[in-house]
Amino acid sequence: MLRLSLMLLPALLFAAGDLSPVTVLPRDGATSTGAALVTGRPTPGGSSFRVDIGTVDTIGGTTYDWQANGPGWRELVYSPGYGLHATWMYSAEMSGTTFPDRNMRYNYYDEGSGYGWNWIDPDYMQSGVNTFAQRSGYGSLDADPTSGVAVISCHYQGTGGVTPMVAIDAAPGAGIFDYANGEPVLGVTQWPPISVGQDGTINIFPITATYDLSYSHIAAGNWPTFSTPVTGFSPSPGFPTQSIAASKGSGRVCLTWEISTDDPQDAYLRTSDDNGVTWTGPQSLQPPDAYGGDTVTAFHITSLFPFYDNDDRLNIVANLSPEVNDTVYIIPSQIWHYCPANTPQWNRIHVAGCNPYNLLAAVGYNATYACRPSIGQDEDGDLFVAWEQFDSANVEPSTSRLRADVWVAGSIDGGITWAPARKLTTAGTASCRFPCISDMAGPGDSMAVVYEVDQCAGFFVQAEGPATDNPIVVQKVPIDSLIQHGPYSGRVIRPNGGEVLFGGDTFHIKWSVTPQTFDHGVLSLSTDGGSTFPTVLGASIPPAETTYLWDSVPYLNYTHCRVKFAAKDSLGATVFSDK
């Protein structure tokens, strides 16, 4: 039945009006600089949307309602022991197309001082602080795991053209930035996502004016010097679809991009194991057979968000579109998760769509019906994915654009299976756009999502509608509202991947299981990557114990070892295990 409906889509194209996406970029030619001046501006009114789960903090605002060209990038990061970092693209301009006050704005939820956001004003357009001293934008956020400080990127109009810049905070939440200038090392490059590695290396992955990709980094201890760019990322994406992730547990880095000019639209990745010094060649990322039959599965330009989890596993989330007769359609849209360590490697998270006759308006530029997924996890290793999804019946009458909501789904088994997705918002007369989930669970044992509440669906930046003061909000969602564990939950904390042990070493194995009501635990060793666990290290470990001293590592020559902790009941049956 699904195949038949897809085969009919070309015939319905004109009746429905917006079954295929449009790809454009905003005008970005202004070179003026300066901070925003909004004296005399009236205090914005309330936003017309409803939160269905959790609570919302309004942390800022913007009239620059176009927050991302292609995929969403990391814009919300939790630093354990410090707080939650957030960034967004800011402007207060209400007319024109130059946006001279455009900037990457920053706010910080401080766990160490009153558990609140640092810069909050009754007029939310005044909340947060500008990161850069000149007109800037189209950057992303990460935090240095060694210090907890925010690291924010942007591009700006330099002396030789548009070029990246990176800012690093003086202390967690200080809002006092030092800068690393990308010119002339990177040349004319723009749209620069970043990710910070385990040792503090800042990895940056912009695109040139001719849509060639360029990778560079600022090595740990080498601030503010950019390395010599790595180029030659063939094939060229043809559009800013690139993204980046660096591991917080090793020197691994992953670069992803989608080829918007291919038919079908393909995806690629490159990886490094040494903080970006050497790289594998481009690897084609083959999509799953999401639609079947004669319908081709295509990556959309809003796809591909990479992430290294606590076990140092690569995860990529993507939104996939059907392609029929060389035309890519916006419905049905599917959200999928890829992890090369899983079997199967691709697993479906969510399907979104409607009968084409019920699609009452267009979704707008650079979007499909469900798109821009981002991924994070909690301390137990549970994965969570957020995305924007349109409502086929919720139309902004002044622009004839559909309004969107924010959705989230969770997985307790590393992405093999996913709980039913939950809608976090009801858009009402606003549109909830460009969500990004936090990389880690934050305050109050919750997953946080930052997004824009566009007061008029249809982009002011693209001259589709009027300028509006759009809140930037962070919604904190209780984890137990998204996933349900069995009676026990937990994980092996150490080792978590990448450790090298030598014969005779002493090593502290650590795990966590709650509640501690099982009878005993069994700790065992695998030398074949987890297929079998023939060696028992501890056979009857009390429930309250959470560490084991491996006081003499055996003299074995294996490179695929794993440790498993299994919680047992009084009859010896396993009630929980993690490896």
Side-chain angles (χ1 to χ4, degrees), residues 27-35 64 90-91 93 97-104 130 132-138 154-158 162-163 165:
R27 295 173 293 274
D28 197 26
T31 59
S32 56
T33 63
Y64 202 87
Y90 165 83
S91 176
E93 285 295 306
T97 60
T98 59
F99 302 96
D101 63 341
R102 197 184 69 190
N103 211 299
M104 298 300 297
N130 281 350
F132 298 94
Q134 55 269 93
R135 182 182 187 270
S136 54
Y138 293 101
C154 76
H155 73 216
Y156 78 105
Q157 186 71 33
V162 179
T163 188
M165 183 183 295

PDB file of all heavy atoms in Angstrom, residues 27-35 64 90-91 93 97-104 130 132-138 154-158 162-163 165:
ATOM      1  N   ARG A  27      20.395  35.309   1.557  1.00  0.00           N
ATOM      2  CA  ARG A  27      21.306  36.364   1.114  1.00  0.00           C
ATOM      3  C   ARG A  27      22.228  36.716   2.275  1.00  0.00           C
ATOM      4  O   ARG A  27      21.780  36.919   3.402  1.00  0.00           O
ATOM      5  CB  ARG A  27      20.492  37.590   0.675  1.00  0.00           C
ATOM      6  CG  ARG A  27      19.621  37.311  -0.545  1.00  0.00           C
ATOM      7  CD  ARG A  27      18.709  38.488  -0.861  1.00  0.00           C
ATOM      8  NE  ARG A  27      17.704  38.679   0.171  1.00  0.00           N
ATOM      9  CZ  ARG A  27      16.534  38.033   0.192  1.00  0.00           C
ATOM     10  NH1 ARG A  27      16.256  37.150  -0.739  1.00  0.00           N
ATOM     11  NH2 ARG A  27      15.661  38.262   1.163  1.00  0.00           N
ATOM     12  N   ASP A  28      23.527  36.823   1.992  1.00  0.00           N
ATOM     13  CA  ASP A  28      24.477  37.036   3.086  1.00  0.00           C
ATOM     14  C   ASP A  28      25.610  37.944   2.645  1.00  0.00           C
ATOM     15  O   ASP A  28      26.773  37.677   2.873  1.00  0.00           O
ATOM     16  CB  ASP A  28      25.029  35.691   3.557  1.00  0.00           C
ATOM     17  CG  ASP A  28      25.680  35.796   4.936  1.00  0.00           C
ATOM     18  OD1 ASP A  28      25.290  36.706   5.693  1.00  0.00           O
ATOM     19  OD2 ASP A  28      26.561  34.994   5.244  1.00  0.00           O
ATOM     20  N   GLY A  29      25.267  39.043   1.976  1.00  0.00           N
ATOM     21  CA  GLY A  29      26.304  39.874   1.406  1.00  0.00           C
ATOM     22  C   GLY A  29      26.716  41.082   2.214  1.00  0.00           C
ATOM     23  O   GLY A  29      27.617  41.806   1.826  1.00  0.00           O
ATOM     24  N   ALA A  30      26.043  41.352   3.332  1.00  0.00           N
ATOM     25  CA  ALA A  30      26.362  42.565   4.088  1.00  0.00           C
ATOM     26  C   ALA A  30      27.707  42.446   4.779  1.00  0.00           C
ATOM     27  O   ALA A  30      28.126  41.384   5.183  1.00  0.00           O
ATOM     28  CB  ALA A  30      25.273  42.834   5.119  1.00  0.00           C
ATOM     29  N   THR A  31      28.397  43.570   4.895  1.00  0.00           N
ATOM     30  CA  THR A  31      29.712  43.569   5.540  1.00  0.00           C
ATOM     31  C   THR A  31      29.755  44.491   6.749  1.00  0.00           C
ATOM     32  O   THR A  31      30.794  44.658   7.358  1.00  0.00           O
ATOM     33  CB  THR A  31      30.797  44.018   4.548  1.00  0.00           C
ATOM     34  OG1 THR A  31      30.478  45.329   4.074  1.00  0.00           O
ATOM     35  CG2 THR A  31      30.878  43.058   3.376  1.00  0.00           C
ATOM     36  N   SER A  32      28.660  45.139   7.081  1.00  0.00           N
ATOM     37  CA  SER A  32      28.666  46.058   8.217  1.00  0.00           C
ATOM     38  C   SER A  32      28.815  45.298   9.528  1.00  0.00           C
ATOM     39  O   SER A  32      28.517  44.121   9.622  1.00  0.00           O
ATOM     40  CB  SER A  32      27.381  46.872   8.226  1.00  0.00           C
ATOM     41  OG  SER A  32      26.255  46.027   8.233  1.00  0.00           O
ATOM     42  N   THR A  33      29.315  45.988  10.549  1.00  0.00           N
ATOM     43  CA  THR A  33      29.558  45.351  11.829  1.00  0.00           C
ATOM     44  C   THR A  33      28.909  46.161  12.939  1.00  0.00           C
ATOM     45  O   THR A  33      28.399  47.253  12.721  1.00  0.00           O
ATOM     46  CB  THR A  33      31.064  45.241  12.118  1.00  0.00           C
ATOM     47  OG1 THR A  33      31.606  46.560  12.199  1.00  0.00           O
ATOM     48  CG2 THR A  33      31.785  44.462  11.045  1.00  0.00           C
ATOM     49  N   GLY A  34      28.981  45.636  14.155  1.00  0.00           N
ATOM     50  CA  GLY A  34      28.475  46.383  15.297  1.00  0.00           C
ATOM     51  C   GLY A  34      27.498  45.585  16.119  1.00  0.00           C
ATOM     52  O   GLY A  34      26.855  44.668  15.639  1.00  0.00           O
ATOM     53  N   ALA A  35      27.384  45.928  17.383  1.00  0.00           N
ATOM     54  CA  ALA A  35      26.467  45.242  18.282  1.00  0.00           C
ATOM     55  C   ALA A  35      25.041  45.720  18.038  1.00  0.00           C
ATOM     56  O   ALA A  35      24.797  46.788  17.496  1.00  0.00           O
ATOM     57  CB  ALA A  35      26.868  45.484  19.731  1.00  0.00           C
ATOM     58  N   TYR A  64      16.071  36.719  13.305  1.00  0.00           N
ATOM     59  CA  TYR A  64      16.723  35.972  12.229  1.00  0.00           C
ATOM     60  C   TYR A  64      16.196  34.538  12.300  1.00  0.00           C
ATOM     61  O   TYR A  64      16.798  33.658  12.918  1.00  0.00           O
ATOM     62  CB  TYR A  64      18.244  36.014  12.389  1.00  0.00           C
ATOM     63  CG  TYR A  64      18.992  35.754  11.098  1.00  0.00           C
ATOM     64  CD1 TYR A  64      19.271  36.795  10.226  1.00  0.00           C
ATOM     65  CD2 TYR A  64      19.396  34.469  10.747  1.00  0.00           C
ATOM     66  CE1 TYR A  64      19.945  36.573   9.035  1.00  0.00           C
ATOM     67  CE2 TYR A  64      20.067  34.240   9.566  1.00  0.00           C
ATOM     68  CZ  TYR A  64      20.341  35.286   8.697  1.00  0.00           C
ATOM     69  OH  TYR A  64      21.004  35.061   7.518  1.00  0.00           O
ATOM     70  N   TYR A  90      21.444  35.298  16.321  1.00  0.00           N
ATOM     71  CA  TYR A  90      20.662  36.418  16.839  1.00  0.00           C
ATOM     72  C   TYR A  90      20.641  37.589  15.871  1.00  0.00           C
ATOM     73  O   TYR A  90      21.627  37.887  15.191  1.00  0.00           O
ATOM     74  CB  TYR A  90      21.269  36.892  18.158  1.00  0.00           C
ATOM     75  CG  TYR A  90      20.777  38.250  18.627  1.00  0.00           C
ATOM     76  CD1 TYR A  90      19.583  38.366  19.312  1.00  0.00           C
ATOM     77  CD2 TYR A  90      21.517  39.404  18.366  1.00  0.00           C
ATOM     78  CE1 TYR A  90      19.121  39.619  19.741  1.00  0.00           C
ATOM     79  CE2 TYR A  90      21.064  40.651  18.792  1.00  0.00           C
ATOM     80  CZ  TYR A  90      19.872  40.745  19.479  1.00  0.00           C
ATOM     81  OH  TYR A  90      19.422  41.973  19.900  1.00  0.00           O
ATOM     82  N   SER A  91      19.503  38.263  15.811  1.00  0.00           N
ATOM     83  CA  SER A  91      19.397  39.613  15.263  1.00  0.00           C
ATOM     84  C   SER A  91      18.148  40.227  15.868  1.00  0.00           C
ATOM     85  O   SER A  91      17.227  39.517  16.274  1.00  0.00           O
ATOM     86  CB  SER A  91      19.305  39.610  13.734  1.00  0.00           C
ATOM     87  OG  SER A  91      19.108  40.933  13.241  1.00  0.00           O
ATOM     88  N   GLU A  93      16.878  42.984  14.027  1.00  0.00           N
ATOM     89  CA  GLU A  93      16.424  43.793  12.904  1.00  0.00           C
ATOM     90  C   GLU A  93      14.978  43.447  12.547  1.00  0.00           C
ATOM     91  O   GLU A  93      14.583  42.278  12.564  1.00  0.00           O
ATOM     92  CB  GLU A  93      17.317  43.563  11.687  1.00  0.00           C
ATOM     93  CG  GLU A  93      18.665  44.235  11.790  1.00  0.00           C
ATOM     94  CD  GLU A  93      18.552  45.751  11.820  1.00  0.00           C
ATOM     95  OE1 GLU A  93      17.917  46.325  10.913  1.00  0.00           O
ATOM     96  OE2 GLU A  93      19.074  46.364  12.763  1.00  0.00           O
ATOM     97  N   THR A  97      17.446  43.430   4.631  1.00  0.00           N
ATOM     98  CA  THR A  97      18.006  42.095   4.410  1.00  0.00           C
ATOM     99  C   THR A  97      19.454  41.973   4.852  1.00  0.00           C
ATOM    100  O   THR A  97      20.063  40.921   4.681  1.00  0.00           O
ATOM    101  CB  THR A  97      17.925  41.739   2.910  1.00  0.00           C
ATOM    102  OG1 THR A  97      18.670  42.707   2.152  1.00  0.00           O
ATOM    103  CG2 THR A  97      16.484  41.710   2.432  1.00  0.00           C
ATOM    104  N   THR A  98      20.044  43.022   5.415  1.00  0.00           N
ATOM    105  CA  THR A  98      21.474  42.981   5.738  1.00  0.00           C
ATOM    106  C   THR A  98      21.758  42.487   7.151  1.00  0.00           C
ATOM    107  O   THR A  98      22.846  41.989   7.417  1.00  0.00           O
ATOM    108  CB  THR A  98      22.104  44.373   5.568  1.00  0.00           C
ATOM    109  OG1 THR A  98      21.441  45.298   6.437  1.00  0.00           O
ATOM    110  CG2 THR A  98      21.985  44.842   4.127  1.00  0.00           C
ATOM    111  N   PHE A  99      20.839  42.665   8.083  1.00  0.00           N
ATOM    112  CA  PHE A  99      20.997  42.204   9.455  1.00  0.00           C
ATOM    113  C   PHE A  99      22.378  42.584  10.021  1.00  0.00           C
ATOM    114  O   PHE A  99      23.193  41.722  10.347  1.00  0.00           O
ATOM    115  CB  PHE A  99      20.803  40.688   9.552  1.00  0.00           C
ATOM    116  CG  PHE A  99      19.467  40.230   9.053  1.00  0.00           C
ATOM    117  CD1 PHE A  99      19.316  39.766   7.754  1.00  0.00           C
ATOM    118  CD2 PHE A  99      18.356  40.272   9.876  1.00  0.00           C
ATOM    119  CE1 PHE A  99      18.079  39.361   7.282  1.00  0.00           C
ATOM    120  CE2 PHE A  99      17.113  39.853   9.418  1.00  0.00           C
ATOM    121  CZ  PHE A  99      16.972  39.397   8.109  1.00  0.00           C
ATOM    122  N   PRO A 100      22.667  43.877  10.135  1.00  0.00           N
ATOM    123  CA  PRO A 100      23.997  44.294  10.575  1.00  0.00           C
ATOM    124  C   PRO A 100      24.332  43.883  12.000  1.00  0.00           C
ATOM    125  O   PRO A 100      25.507  43.849  12.373  1.00  0.00           O
ATOM    126  CB  PRO A 100      23.949  45.825  10.442  1.00  0.00           C
ATOM    127  CG  PRO A 100      22.504  46.177  10.509  1.00  0.00           C
ATOM    128  CD  PRO A 100      21.788  45.048   9.834  1.00  0.00           C
ATOM    129  N   ASP A 101      23.334  43.545  12.814  1.00  0.00           N
ATOM    130  CA  ASP A 101      23.590  43.166  14.208  1.00  0.00           C
ATOM    131  C   ASP A 101      23.641  41.645  14.390  1.00  0.00           C
ATOM    132  O   ASP A 101      23.697  41.160  15.515  1.00  0.00           O
ATOM    133  CB  ASP A 101      22.506  43.746  15.113  1.00  0.00           C
ATOM    134  CG  ASP A 101      21.122  43.195  14.810  1.00  0.00           C
ATOM    135  OD1 ASP A 101      20.924  42.659  13.695  1.00  0.00           O
ATOM    136  OD2 ASP A 101      20.233  43.295  15.677  1.00  0.00           O
ATOM    137  N   ARG A 102      23.651  40.890  13.307  1.00  0.00           N
ATOM    138  CA  ARG A 102      23.618  39.423  13.421  1.00  0.00           C
ATOM    139  C   ARG A 102      24.833  38.907  14.185  1.00  0.00           C
ATOM    140  O   ARG A 102      25.957  39.383  13.983  1.00  0.00           O
ATOM    141  CB  ARG A 102      23.562  38.776  12.036  1.00  0.00           C
ATOM    142  CG  ARG A 102      23.129  37.320  12.060  1.00  0.00           C
ATOM    143  CD  ARG A 102      23.177  36.720  10.674  1.00  0.00           C
ATOM    144  NE  ARG A 102      24.551  36.577  10.211  1.00  0.00           N
ATOM    145  CZ  ARG A 102      24.882  36.264   8.962  1.00  0.00           C
ATOM    146  NH1 ARG A 102      23.942  36.101   8.037  1.00  0.00           N
ATOM    147  NH2 ARG A 102      26.160  36.144   8.617  1.00  0.00           N
ATOM    148  N   ASN A 103      24.612  37.919  15.061  1.00  0.00           N
ATOM    149  CA  ASN A 103      25.688  37.402  15.902  1.00  0.00           C
ATOM    150  C   ASN A 103      25.309  36.014  16.393  1.00  0.00           C
ATOM    151  O   ASN A 103      24.144  35.605  16.322  1.00  0.00           O
ATOM    152  CB  ASN A 103      25.921  38.339  17.102  1.00  0.00           C
ATOM    153  CG  ASN A 103      27.365  38.360  17.567  1.00  0.00           C
ATOM    154  OD1 ASN A 103      27.907  37.338  17.978  1.00  0.00           O
ATOM    155  ND2 ASN A 103      27.995  39.532  17.499  1.00  0.00           N
ATOM    156  N   MET A 104      26.299  35.285  16.896  1.00  0.00           N
ATOM    157  CA  MET A 104      26.037  34.062  17.635  1.00  0.00           C
ATOM    158  C   MET A 104      25.864  34.452  19.096  1.00  0.00           C
ATOM    159  O   MET A 104      26.807  34.932  19.731  1.00  0.00           O
ATOM    160  CB  MET A 104      27.182  33.062  17.480  1.00  0.00           C
ATOM    161  CG  MET A 104      27.429  32.583  16.067  1.00  0.00           C
ATOM    162  SD  MET A 104      26.007  31.747  15.315  1.00  0.00           S
ATOM    163  CE  MET A 104      25.823  30.321  16.390  1.00  0.00           C
ATOM    164  N   ASN A 130      26.195  38.494  23.196  1.00  0.00           N
ATOM    165  CA  ASN A 130      26.840  38.274  21.909  1.00  0.00           C
ATOM    166  C   ASN A 130      28.203  37.634  22.119  1.00  0.00           C
ATOM    167  O   ASN A 130      28.955  38.017  23.012  1.00  0.00           O
ATOM    168  CB  ASN A 130      26.993  39.583  21.152  1.00  0.00           C
ATOM    169  CG  ASN A 130      25.706  40.025  20.488  1.00  0.00           C
ATOM    170  OD1 ASN A 130      24.736  39.272  20.430  1.00  0.00           O
ATOM    171  ND2 ASN A 130      25.694  41.253  19.995  1.00  0.00           N
ATOM    172  N   PHE A 132      30.600  37.356  19.491  1.00  0.00           N
ATOM    173  CA  PHE A 132      31.625  37.979  18.654  1.00  0.00           C
ATOM    174  C   PHE A 132      31.443  39.496  18.604  1.00  0.00           C
ATOM    175  O   PHE A 132      30.358  40.015  18.874  1.00  0.00           O
ATOM    176  CB  PHE A 132      31.579  37.379  17.243  1.00  0.00           C
ATOM    177  CG  PHE A 132      31.876  35.903  17.224  1.00  0.00           C
ATOM    178  CD1 PHE A 132      30.841  34.972  17.273  1.00  0.00           C
ATOM    179  CD2 PHE A 132      33.181  35.438  17.196  1.00  0.00           C
ATOM    180  CE1 PHE A 132      31.095  33.619  17.269  1.00  0.00           C
ATOM    181  CE2 PHE A 132      33.451  34.077  17.202  1.00  0.00           C
ATOM    182  CZ  PHE A 132      32.412  33.168  17.247  1.00  0.00           C
ATOM    183  N   ALA A 133      32.524  40.191  18.247  1.00  0.00           N
ATOM    184  CA  ALA A 133      32.514  41.651  18.232  1.00  0.00           C
ATOM    185  C   ALA A 133      32.079  42.215  16.896  1.00  0.00           C
ATOM    186  O   ALA A 133      31.917  43.427  16.765  1.00  0.00           O
ATOM    187  CB  ALA A 133      33.915  42.176  18.571  1.00  0.00           C
ATOM    188  N   GLN A 134      31.891  41.359  15.885  1.00  0.00           N
ATOM    189  CA  GLN A 134      31.487  41.815  14.576  1.00  0.00           C
ATOM    190  C   GLN A 134      30.330  40.966  14.058  1.00  0.00           C
ATOM    191  O   GLN A 134      29.975  39.959  14.638  1.00  0.00           O
ATOM    192  CB  GLN A 134      32.652  41.756  13.579  1.00  0.00           C
ATOM    193  CG  GLN A 134      33.310  40.394  13.455  1.00  0.00           C
ATOM    194  CD  GLN A 134      34.451  40.226  14.399  1.00  0.00           C
ATOM    195  OE1 GLN A 134      34.237  39.716  15.481  1.00  0.00           O
ATOM    196  NE2 GLN A 134      35.653  40.605  14.007  1.00  0.00           N
ATOM    197  N   ARG A 135      29.730  41.453  12.971  1.00  0.00           N
ATOM    198  CA  ARG A 135      28.631  40.719  12.354  1.00  0.00           C
ATOM    199  C   ARG A 135      29.089  39.297  12.039  1.00  0.00           C
ATOM    200  O   ARG A 135      30.126  39.095  11.408  1.00  0.00           O
ATOM    201  CB  ARG A 135      28.180  41.426  11.083  1.00  0.00           C
ATOM    202  CG  ARG A 135      27.004  40.763  10.379  1.00  0.00           C
ATOM    203  CD  ARG A 135      26.645  41.508   9.107  1.00  0.00           C
ATOM    204  NE  ARG A 135      25.424  40.994   8.498  1.00  0.00           N
ATOM    205  CZ  ARG A 135      25.397  40.010   7.597  1.00  0.00           C
ATOM    206  NH1 ARG A 135      26.512  39.420   7.225  1.00  0.00           N
ATOM    207  NH2 ARG A 135      24.238  39.614   7.089  1.00  0.00           N
ATOM    208  N   SER A 136      28.302  38.330  12.470  1.00  0.00           N
ATOM    209  CA  SER A 136      28.727  36.935  12.347  1.00  0.00           C
ATOM    210  C   SER A 136      27.505  36.033  12.363  1.00  0.00           C
ATOM    211  O   SER A 136      26.371  36.484  12.572  1.00  0.00           O
ATOM    212  CB  SER A 136      29.685  36.570  13.495  1.00  0.00           C
ATOM    213  OG  SER A 136      29.082  36.864  14.747  1.00  0.00           O
ATOM    214  N   GLY A 137      27.735  34.754  12.155  1.00  0.00           N
ATOM    215  CA  GLY A 137      26.618  33.813  12.197  1.00  0.00           C
ATOM    216  C   GLY A 137      26.991  32.456  11.656  1.00  0.00           C
ATOM    217  O   GLY A 137      28.151  32.188  11.303  1.00  0.00           O
ATOM    218  N   TYR A 138      25.989  31.566  11.589  1.00  0.00           N
ATOM    219  CA  TYR A 138      26.100  30.234  11.001  1.00  0.00           C
ATOM    220  C   TYR A 138      27.223  29.404  11.622  1.00  0.00           C
ATOM    221  O   TYR A 138      28.022  28.789  10.925  1.00  0.00           O
ATOM    222  CB  TYR A 138      26.261  30.323   9.482  1.00  0.00           C
ATOM    223  CG  TYR A 138      25.016  30.860   8.819  1.00  0.00           C
ATOM    224  CD1 TYR A 138      24.935  32.181   8.405  1.00  0.00           C
ATOM    225  CD2 TYR A 138      23.897  30.043   8.649  1.00  0.00           C
ATOM    226  CE1 TYR A 138      23.775  32.691   7.827  1.00  0.00           C
ATOM    227  CE2 TYR A 138      22.742  30.540   8.075  1.00  0.00           C
ATOM    228  CZ  TYR A 138      22.685  31.857   7.661  1.00  0.00           C
ATOM    229  OH  TYR A 138      21.537  32.342   7.102  1.00  0.00           O
ATOM    230  N   CYS A 154      31.780  30.646  14.126  1.00  0.00           N
ATOM    231  CA  CYS A 154      30.950  31.485  13.262  1.00  0.00           C
ATOM    232  C   CYS A 154      31.694  31.661  11.948  1.00  0.00           C
ATOM    233  O   CYS A 154      32.850  31.257  11.809  1.00  0.00           O
ATOM    234  CB  CYS A 154      30.703  32.864  13.889  1.00  0.00           C
ATOM    235  SG  CYS A 154      32.140  33.984  13.776  1.00  0.00           S
ATOM    236  N   HIS A 155      31.013  32.258  10.952  1.00  0.00           N
ATOM    237  CA  HIS A 155      31.755  32.874   9.849  1.00  0.00           C
ATOM    238  C   HIS A 155      31.441  34.359   9.826  1.00  0.00           C
ATOM    239  O   HIS A 155      30.415  34.810  10.336  1.00  0.00           O
ATOM    240  CB  HIS A 155      31.494  32.188   8.507  1.00  0.00           C
ATOM    241  CG  HIS A 155      30.145  32.429   7.877  1.00  0.00           C
ATOM    242  ND1 HIS A 155      29.468  31.463   7.173  1.00  0.00           N
ATOM    243  CD2 HIS A 155      29.332  33.529   7.807  1.00  0.00           C
ATOM    244  CE1 HIS A 155      28.331  31.946   6.703  1.00  0.00           C
ATOM    245  NE2 HIS A 155      28.232  33.204   7.078  1.00  0.00           N
ATOM    246  N   TYR A 156      32.371  35.127   9.280  1.00  0.00           N
ATOM    247  CA  TYR A 156      32.223  36.584   9.235  1.00  0.00           C
ATOM    248  C   TYR A 156      32.945  37.100   8.006  1.00  0.00           C
ATOM    249  O   TYR A 156      33.698  36.379   7.339  1.00  0.00           O
ATOM    250  CB  TYR A 156      32.777  37.228  10.510  1.00  0.00           C
ATOM    251  CG  TYR A 156      34.285  37.336  10.551  1.00  0.00           C
ATOM    252  CD1 TYR A 156      34.922  38.565  10.351  1.00  0.00           C
ATOM    253  CD2 TYR A 156      35.083  36.207  10.745  1.00  0.00           C
ATOM    254  CE1 TYR A 156      36.298  38.660  10.363  1.00  0.00           C
ATOM    255  CE2 TYR A 156      36.449  36.296  10.757  1.00  0.00           C
ATOM    256  CZ  TYR A 156      37.067  37.527  10.562  1.00  0.00           C
ATOM    257  OH  TYR A 156      38.439  37.615  10.566  1.00  0.00           O
ATOM    258  N   GLN A 157      32.719  38.369   7.681  1.00  0.00           N
ATOM    259  CA  GLN A 157      33.338  38.991   6.515  1.00  0.00           C
ATOM    260  C   GLN A 157      34.736  39.458   6.881  1.00  0.00           C
ATOM    261  O   GLN A 157      34.900  40.502   7.516  1.00  0.00           O
ATOM    262  CB  GLN A 157      32.494  40.158   6.010  1.00  0.00           C
ATOM    263  CG  GLN A 157      32.993  40.785   4.710  1.00  0.00           C
ATOM    264  CD  GLN A 157      32.768  39.883   3.516  1.00  0.00           C
ATOM    265  OE1 GLN A 157      31.799  39.146   3.473  1.00  0.00           O
ATOM    266  NE2 GLN A 157      33.651  39.944   2.535  1.00  0.00           N
ATOM    267  N   GLY A 158      35.745  38.679   6.510  1.00  0.00           N
ATOM    268  CA  GLY A 158      37.124  39.058   6.779  1.00  0.00           C
ATOM    269  C   GLY A 158      37.698  39.918   5.671  1.00  0.00           C
ATOM    270  O   GLY A 158      37.009  40.300   4.724  1.00  0.00           O
ATOM    271  N   VAL A 162      34.609  35.880   3.236  1.00  0.00           N
ATOM    272  CA  VAL A 162      33.989  35.215   4.372  1.00  0.00           C
ATOM    273  C   VAL A 162      34.924  34.137   4.907  1.00  0.00           C
ATOM    274  O   VAL A 162      35.481  33.341   4.139  1.00  0.00           O
ATOM    275  CB  VAL A 162      32.633  34.599   3.982  1.00  0.00           C
ATOM    276  CG1 VAL A 162      31.995  33.889   5.173  1.00  0.00           C
ATOM    277  CG2 VAL A 162      31.700  35.690   3.462  1.00  0.00           C
ATOM    278  N   THR A 163      35.108  34.104   6.208  1.00  0.00           N
ATOM    279  CA  THR A 163      36.060  33.177   6.815  1.00  0.00           C
ATOM    280  C   THR A 163      35.592  32.810   8.219  1.00  0.00           C
ATOM    281  O   THR A 163      34.856  33.582   8.858  1.00  0.00           O
ATOM    282  CB  THR A 163      37.466  33.812   6.870  1.00  0.00           C
ATOM    283  OG1 THR A 163      38.424  32.845   7.286  1.00  0.00           O
ATOM    284  CG2 THR A 163      37.504  34.979   7.830  1.00  0.00           C
ATOM    285  N   MET A 165      35.710  31.936  12.374  1.00  0.00           N
ATOM    286  CA  MET A 165      36.335  32.373  13.603  1.00  0.00           C
ATOM    287  C   MET A 165      35.829  31.466  14.720  1.00  0.00           C
ATOM    288  O   MET A 165      34.707  30.968  14.668  1.00  0.00           O
ATOM    289  CB  MET A 165      36.006  33.836  13.910  1.00  0.00           C
ATOM    290  CG  MET A 165      36.692  34.392  15.158  1.00  0.00           C
ATOM    291  SD  MET A 165      36.203  36.110  15.540  1.00  0.00           S
ATOM    292  CE  MET A 165      36.874  36.981  14.118  1.00  0.00           C
TER     293      MET A 165
END
